[in-house]
mmCIF file of all heavy atoms in Angstrom:
data_model
loop_
_atom_site.group_PDB
_atom_site.id
_atom_site.type_symbol
_atom_site.label_atom_id
_atom_site.label_comp_id
_atom_site.label_asym_id
_atom_site.label_seq_id
_atom_site.Cartn_x
_atom_site.Cartn_y
_atom_site.Cartn_z
ATOM 1 N N PRO I 351 137.129 22.203 89.549
ATOM 2 C CA PRO I 351 138.017 23.363 89.575
ATOM 3 C C PRO I 351 138.289 23.907 88.170
ATOM 4 O O PRO I 351 138.279 23.144 87.197
ATOM 5 C CB PRO I 351 139.302 22.778 90.168
ATOM 6 C CG PRO I 351 139.322 21.366 89.663
ATOM 7 C CD PRO I 351 137.873 20.921 89.632
ATOM 8 N N SER I 353 141.087 25.934 85.978
ATOM 9 C CA SER I 353 142.478 26.388 85.946
ATOM 10 C C SER I 353 142.614 27.637 85.085
ATOM 11 O O SER I 353 141.737 27.954 84.281
ATOM 12 C CB SER I 353 143.378 25.277 85.397
ATOM 13 O OG SER I 353 142.936 24.857 84.122
ATOM 14 N N VAL I 365 145.487 26.280 89.634
ATOM 15 C CA VAL I 365 144.177 25.669 89.786
ATOM 16 C C VAL I 365 143.942 25.452 91.272
ATOM 17 O O VAL I 365 144.866 25.108 92.022
ATOM 18 C CB VAL I 365 144.055 24.340 89.003
ATOM 19 C CG1 VAL I 365 144.997 23.277 89.531
ATOM 20 C CG2 VAL I 365 142.610 23.829 89.019
ATOM 21 N N ILE I 413 144.232 16.577 95.980
ATOM 22 C CA ILE I 413 144.923 17.832 95.655
ATOM 23 C C ILE I 413 143.946 18.991 95.844
ATOM 24 O O ILE I 413 142.857 19.002 95.270
ATOM 25 C CB ILE I 413 145.454 17.815 94.206
ATOM 26 C CG1 ILE I 413 146.444 16.677 94.017
ATOM 27 C CG2 ILE I 413 146.125 19.147 93.864
ATOM 28 C CD1 ILE I 413 146.848 16.456 92.566
ATOM 29 N N CYS I 416 147.230 23.865 93.006
ATOM 30 C CA CYS I 416 148.561 23.718 92.420
ATOM 31 C C CYS I 416 148.914 25.000 91.675
ATOM 32 O O CYS I 416 148.092 25.544 90.933
ATOM 33 C CB CYS I 416 148.575 22.530 91.466
ATOM 34 S SG CYS I 416 150.207 22.118 90.808
ATOM 35 N N LEU I 418 151.947 26.555 89.160
ATOM 36 C CA LEU I 418 153.075 26.166 88.315
ATOM 37 C C LEU I 418 153.603 27.400 87.590
ATOM 38 O O LEU I 418 152.889 28.035 86.814
ATOM 39 C CB LEU I 418 152.647 25.116 87.289
ATOM 40 C CG LEU I 418 151.979 23.839 87.833
ATOM 41 C CD1 LEU I 418 151.514 22.962 86.677
ATOM 42 C CD2 LEU I 418 152.921 23.075 88.742
ATOM 43 N N GLU I 422 155.963 25.805 79.671
ATOM 44 C CA GLU I 422 154.920 24.849 79.287
ATOM 45 C C GLU I 422 153.886 24.573 80.391
ATOM 46 O O GLU I 422 153.075 23.661 80.285
ATOM 47 C CB GLU I 422 155.545 23.520 78.816
ATOM 48 C CG GLU I 422 156.482 23.705 77.617
ATOM 49 C CD GLU I 422 157.160 22.417 77.180
ATOM 50 O OE1 GLU I 422 156.806 21.341 77.688
ATOM 51 O OE2 GLU I 422 158.069 22.496 76.321
ATOM 52 N N THR I 423 153.875 25.390 81.435
ATOM 53 C CA THR I 423 152.942 25.138 82.531
ATOM 54 C C THR I 423 151.496 25.413 82.145
ATOM 55 O O THR I 423 150.576 24.885 82.780
ATOM 56 C CB THR I 423 153.305 25.981 83.766
ATOM 57 O OG1 THR I 423 153.362 27.381 83.398
ATOM 58 C CG2 THR I 423 154.643 25.553 84.332
ATOM 59 N N ASN I 424 151.285 26.212 81.109
ATOM 60 C CA ASN I 424 149.918 26.440 80.626
ATOM 61 C C ASN I 424 149.289 25.145 80.110
ATOM 62 O O ASN I 424 148.063 25.021 80.064
ATOM 63 C CB ASN I 424 149.912 27.502 79.524
ATOM 64 C CG ASN I 424 150.875 27.192 78.403
ATOM 65 O OD1 ASN I 424 152.085 27.119 78.616
ATOM 66 N ND2 ASN I 424 150.361 27.000 77.203
ATOM 67 N N GLU I 425 150.103 24.186 79.726
ATOM 68 C CA GLU I 425 149.611 22.871 79.313
ATOM 69 C C GLU I 425 149.541 21.901 80.503
ATOM 70 O O GLU I 425 148.559 21.181 80.678
ATOM 71 C CB GLU I 425 150.526 22.272 78.234
ATOM 72 C CG GLU I 425 150.569 23.064 76.932
ATOM 73 C CD GLU I 425 149.303 22.890 76.102
ATOM 74 O OE1 GLU I 425 148.445 22.068 76.475
ATOM 75 O OE2 GLU I 425 149.182 23.575 75.082
ATOM 76 N N ILE I 426 150.586 21.902 81.321
ATOM 77 C CA ILE I 426 150.669 20.933 82.416
ATOM 78 C C ILE I 426 149.544 21.112 83.428
ATOM 79 O O ILE I 426 149.039 20.143 84.004
ATOM 80 C CB ILE I 426 152.037 21.049 83.124
ATOM 81 C CG1 ILE I 426 153.171 20.884 82.119
ATOM 82 C CG2 ILE I 426 152.173 19.993 84.217
ATOM 83 C CD1 ILE I 426 154.509 21.287 82.665
ATOM 84 N N ILE I 427 149.121 22.347 83.647
ATOM 85 C CA ILE I 427 148.083 22.598 84.657
ATOM 86 C C ILE I 427 146.796 21.850 84.336
ATOM 87 O O ILE I 427 146.037 21.484 85.239
ATOM 88 C CB ILE I 427 147.822 24.122 84.785
ATOM 89 C CG1 ILE I 427 147.121 24.436 86.120
ATOM 90 C CG2 ILE I 427 147.038 24.655 83.620
ATOM 91 C CD1 ILE I 427 147.953 24.144 87.347
ATOM 92 N N ASN I 428 146.543 21.601 83.060
ATOM 93 C CA ASN I 428 145.332 20.874 82.680
ATOM 94 C C ASN I 428 145.356 19.425 83.183
ATOM 95 O O ASN I 428 144.305 18.858 83.505
ATOM 96 C CB ASN I 428 145.151 20.900 81.158
ATOM 97 C CG ASN I 428 144.868 22.287 80.641
ATOM 98 O OD1 ASN I 428 144.009 22.981 81.156
ATOM 99 N ND2 ASN I 428 145.596 22.704 79.619
ATOM 100 N N ILE I 429 146.545 18.844 83.271
ATOM 101 C CA ILE I 429 146.664 17.484 83.805
ATOM 102 C C ILE I 429 146.250 17.470 85.264
ATOM 103 O O ILE I 429 145.477 16.615 85.713
ATOM 104 C CB ILE I 429 148.105 16.968 83.651
ATOM 105 C CG1 ILE I 429 148.527 16.942 82.174
ATOM 106 C CG2 ILE I 429 148.258 15.585 84.294
ATOM 107 C CD1 ILE I 429 149.993 16.603 81.967
ATOM 108 N N VAL I 430 146.756 18.433 86.028
ATOM 109 C CA VAL I 430 146.420 18.521 87.454
ATOM 110 C C VAL I 430 144.924 18.772 87.621
ATOM 111 O O VAL I 430 144.274 18.166 88.480
ATOM 112 C CB VAL I 430 147.231 19.635 88.131
ATOM 113 C CG1 VAL I 430 146.906 19.695 89.621
ATOM 114 C CG2 VAL I 430 148.731 19.427 87.922
ATOM 115 N N SER I 431 144.376 19.631 86.789
ATOM 116 C CA SER I 431 142.953 19.969 86.871
ATOM 117 C C SER I 431 142.080 18.729 86.630
ATOM 118 O O SER I 431 141.078 18.515 87.328
ATOM 119 C CB SER I 431 142.614 21.059 85.847
ATOM 120 O OG SER I 431 141.260 21.445 85.944
ATOM 121 N N ILE I 432 142.453 17.908 85.659
ATOM 122 C CA ILE I 432 141.693 16.684 85.364
ATOM 123 C C ILE I 432 141.741 15.717 86.554
ATOM 124 O O ILE I 432 140.737 15.119 86.926
ATOM 125 C CB ILE I 432 142.229 16.009 84.087
ATOM 126 C CG1 ILE I 432 141.886 16.860 82.858
ATOM 127 C CG2 ILE I 432 141.645 14.603 83.935
ATOM 128 C CD1 ILE I 432 142.566 16.388 81.579
ATOM 129 N N VAL I 433 142.921 15.588 87.153
ATOM 130 C CA VAL I 433 143.061 14.714 88.313
ATOM 131 C C VAL I 433 142.176 15.200 89.466
ATOM 132 O O VAL I 433 141.510 14.406 90.146
ATOM 133 C CB VAL I 433 144.538 14.636 88.746
ATOM 134 C CG1 VAL I 433 144.683 13.965 90.110
ATOM 135 C CG2 VAL I 433 145.349 13.872 87.701
ATOM 136 N N MET I 434 142.137 16.508 89.676
ATOM 137 C CA MET I 434 141.293 17.063 90.734
ATOM 138 C C MET I 434 139.817 16.858 90.419
ATOM 139 O O MET I 434 139.026 16.480 91.282
ATOM 140 C CB MET I 434 141.605 18.550 90.907
ATOM 141 C CG MET I 434 142.988 18.838 91.476
ATOM 142 S SD MET I 434 143.393 20.609 91.487
ATOM 143 C CE MET I 434 142.206 21.236 92.688
ATOM 144 N N LYS I 435 139.440 17.093 89.173
ATOM 145 C CA LYS I 435 138.039 16.972 88.770
ATOM 146 C C LYS I 435 137.530 15.540 88.921
ATOM 147 O O LYS I 435 136.373 15.307 89.302
ATOM 148 C CB LYS I 435 137.878 17.434 87.313
ATOM 149 C CG LYS I 435 136.443 17.430 86.795
ATOM 150 C CD LYS I 435 135.608 18.516 87.452
ATOM 151 C CE LYS I 435 134.235 18.628 86.817
ATOM 152 N NZ LYS I 435 133.410 19.678 87.436
ATOM 153 N N THR I 436 138.381 14.583 88.635
ATOM 154 C CA THR I 436 137.968 13.180 88.687
ATOM 155 C C THR I 436 138.142 12.556 90.072
ATOM 156 O O THR I 436 137.883 11.366 90.252
ATOM 157 C CB THR I 436 138.745 12.353 87.647
ATOM 158 O OG1 THR I 436 140.158 12.535 87.848
ATOM 159 C CG2 THR I 436 138.387 12.783 86.236
ATOM 160 N N GLN I 438 140.872 11.986 91.886
ATOM 161 C CA GLN I 438 142.028 11.125 92.143
ATOM 162 C C GLN I 438 142.853 11.674 93.313
ATOM 163 O O GLN I 438 142.876 12.878 93.564
ATOM 164 C CB GLN I 438 142.931 11.064 90.902
ATOM 165 C CG GLN I 438 142.250 10.557 89.654
ATOM 166 C CD GLN I 438 142.098 9.050 89.646
ATOM 167 O OE1 GLN I 438 142.669 8.357 90.464
ATOM 168 N NE2 GLN I 438 141.305 8.540 88.718
ATOM 169 N N PHE I 442 148.209 9.462 92.439
ATOM 170 C CA PHE I 442 147.989 9.100 91.032
ATOM 171 C C PHE I 442 149.046 9.768 90.147
ATOM 172 O O PHE I 442 149.619 9.134 89.250
ATOM 173 C CB PHE I 442 146.580 9.526 90.608
ATOM 174 C CG PHE I 442 146.252 9.235 89.163
ATOM 175 C CD1 PHE I 442 145.785 7.993 88.778
ATOM 176 C CD2 PHE I 442 146.407 10.211 88.180
ATOM 177 C CE1 PHE I 442 145.483 7.713 87.450
ATOM 178 C CE2 PHE I 442 146.111 9.949 86.848
ATOM 179 C CZ PHE I 442 145.646 8.695 86.486
ATOM 180 N N LEU I 443 149.310 11.034 90.401
ATOM 181 C CA LEU I 443 150.333 11.750 89.636
ATOM 182 C C LEU I 443 151.738 11.375 90.097
ATOM 183 O O LEU I 443 152.667 11.342 89.288
ATOM 184 C CB LEU I 443 150.126 13.260 89.764
ATOM 185 C CG LEU I 443 148.944 13.850 89.003
ATOM 186 C CD1 LEU I 443 148.776 15.325 89.316
ATOM 187 C CD2 LEU I 443 149.112 13.650 87.502
ATOM 188 N N TYR I 446 152.366 8.154 88.200
ATOM 189 C CA TYR I 446 151.972 8.054 86.794
ATOM 190 C C TYR I 446 153.213 7.984 85.897
ATOM 191 O O TYR I 446 154.252 8.587 86.206
ATOM 192 C CB TYR I 446 151.104 9.249 86.401
ATOM 193 C CG TYR I 446 150.419 9.072 85.068
ATOM 194 C CD1 TYR I 446 149.264 8.312 84.963
ATOM 195 C CD2 TYR I 446 150.941 9.645 83.908
ATOM 196 C CE1 TYR I 446 148.631 8.135 83.748
ATOM 197 C CE2 TYR I 446 150.323 9.474 82.682
ATOM 198 C CZ TYR I 446 149.170 8.721 82.606
ATOM 199 O OH TYR I 446 148.557 8.531 81.393
ATOM 200 N N ILE I 447 153.093 7.251 84.783
ATOM 201 C CA ILE I 447 154.216 7.121 83.841
ATOM 202 C C ILE I 447 154.108 8.205 82.774
ATOM 203 O O ILE I 447 153.235 8.168 81.912
ATOM 204 C CB ILE I 447 154.227 5.723 83.179
ATOM 205 C CG1 ILE I 447 154.318 4.631 84.245
ATOM 206 C CG2 ILE I 447 155.392 5.615 82.193
ATOM 207 C CD1 ILE I 447 154.164 3.233 83.680
ATOM 208 N N PHE I 448 154.989 9.185 82.849
ATOM 209 C CA PHE I 448 155.055 10.266 81.860
ATOM 210 C C PHE I 448 156.217 10.011 80.897
ATOM 211 O O PHE I 448 157.161 9.280 81.217
ATOM 212 C CB PHE I 448 155.278 11.618 82.550
ATOM 213 C CG PHE I 448 154.128 12.095 83.377
ATOM 214 C CD1 PHE I 448 154.099 11.901 84.743
ATOM 215 C CD2 PHE I 448 153.056 12.760 82.787
ATOM 216 C CE1 PHE I 448 153.042 12.350 85.517
ATOM 217 C CE2 PHE I 448 151.982 13.210 83.543
ATOM 218 C CZ PHE I 448 151.977 13.005 84.921
ATOM 219 N N THR I 449 156.147 10.620 79.743
ATOM 220 C CA THR I 449 157.270 10.539 78.811
ATOM 221 C C THR I 449 158.469 11.293 79.378
ATOM 222 O O THR I 449 158.333 12.170 80.224
ATOM 223 C CB THR I 449 156.889 11.124 77.445
ATOM 224 O OG1 THR I 449 156.437 12.483 77.619
ATOM 225 C CG2 THR I 449 155.795 10.312 76.784
ATOM 226 N N SER I 452 160.233 15.367 79.794
ATOM 227 C CA SER I 452 159.084 16.247 79.577
ATOM 228 C C SER I 452 158.864 17.092 80.822
ATOM 229 O O SER I 452 159.270 16.705 81.923
ATOM 230 C CB SER I 452 157.823 15.430 79.256
ATOM 231 O OG SER I 452 157.432 14.666 80.379
ATOM 232 N N MET I 453 158.196 18.216 80.649
ATOM 233 C CA MET I 453 157.877 19.055 81.805
ATOM 234 C C MET I 453 156.826 18.376 82.682
ATOM 235 O O MET I 453 156.837 18.519 83.901
ATOM 236 C CB MET I 453 157.390 20.422 81.347
ATOM 237 C CG MET I 453 158.473 21.324 80.756
ATOM 238 S SD MET I 453 159.837 21.669 81.903
ATOM 239 C CE MET I 453 158.976 22.577 83.197
ATOM 240 N N SER I 454 155.929 17.609 82.058
ATOM 241 C CA SER I 454 154.852 16.997 82.840
ATOM 242 C C SER I 454 155.382 15.950 83.825
ATOM 243 O O SER I 454 154.789 15.736 84.887
ATOM 244 C CB SER I 454 153.805 16.370 81.914
ATOM 245 O OG SER I 454 154.381 15.446 81.034
ATOM 246 N N GLU I 455 156.505 15.309 83.513
ATOM 247 C CA GLU I 455 157.024 14.287 84.427
ATOM 248 C C GLU I 455 157.490 14.899 85.744
ATOM 249 O O GLU I 455 157.680 14.175 86.734
ATOM 250 C CB GLU I 455 158.158 13.508 83.772
ATOM 251 C CG GLU I 455 159.445 14.281 83.617
ATOM 252 C CD GLU I 455 160.595 13.429 83.087
ATOM 253 O OE1 GLU I 455 160.590 12.201 83.353
ATOM 254 O OE2 GLU I 455 161.488 13.984 82.421
ATOM 255 N N ALA I 456 157.637 16.211 85.780
ATOM 256 C CA ALA I 456 157.993 16.875 87.033
ATOM 257 C C ALA I 456 156.903 16.695 88.084
ATOM 258 O O ALA I 456 157.162 16.829 89.283
ATOM 259 C CB ALA I 456 158.230 18.361 86.784
ATOM 260 N N LEU I 457 155.699 16.353 87.636
ATOM 261 C CA LEU I 457 154.611 16.108 88.584
ATOM 262 C C LEU I 457 154.905 14.887 89.451
ATOM 263 O O LEU I 457 154.432 14.797 90.590
ATOM 264 C CB LEU I 457 153.285 15.927 87.839
ATOM 265 C CG LEU I 457 152.763 17.170 87.090
ATOM 266 C CD1 LEU I 457 151.523 16.828 86.285
ATOM 267 C CD2 LEU I 457 152.485 18.311 88.054
ATOM 268 N N ASN I 458 155.699 13.930 88.941
ATOM 269 C CA ASN I 458 156.132 12.786 89.768
ATOM 270 C C ASN I 458 156.854 13.294 91.017
ATOM 271 O O ASN I 458 156.576 12.854 92.150
ATOM 272 C CB ASN I 458 157.077 11.876 89.003
ATOM 273 C CG ASN I 458 156.418 11.058 87.912
ATOM 274 O OD1 ASN I 458 157.079 10.652 86.963
ATOM 275 N ND2 ASN I 458 155.129 10.800 88.021
ATOM 276 N N MET I 461 154.760 15.683 93.489
ATOM 277 C CA MET I 461 153.790 14.959 94.317
ATOM 278 C C MET I 461 154.450 13.956 95.265
ATOM 279 O O MET I 461 153.759 13.157 95.901
ATOM 280 C CB MET I 461 152.790 14.233 93.413
ATOM 281 C CG MET I 461 152.033 15.127 92.466
ATOM 282 S SD MET I 461 150.950 16.295 93.332
ATOM 283 C CE MET I 461 150.513 17.392 91.954
#
Side-chain angles (χ1 to χ4, degrees):
S353 56
V365 64
I413 300 171
C416 186
L418 305 175
E422 301 177 8
T423 55
N424 53 298
E425 296 286 354
I426 304 167
I427 199 65
N428 293 311
I429 300 173
V430 182
S431 183
I432 290 171
V433 169
M434 292 173 67
K435 183 70 173 180
T436 55
Q438 302 282 349
F442 178 85
L443 287 175
Y446 192 80
I447 302 173
F448 292 97
T449 56
S452 66
M453 288 301 296
S454 56
E455 72 174 331
L457 294 174
N458 288 155
M461 302 295 168

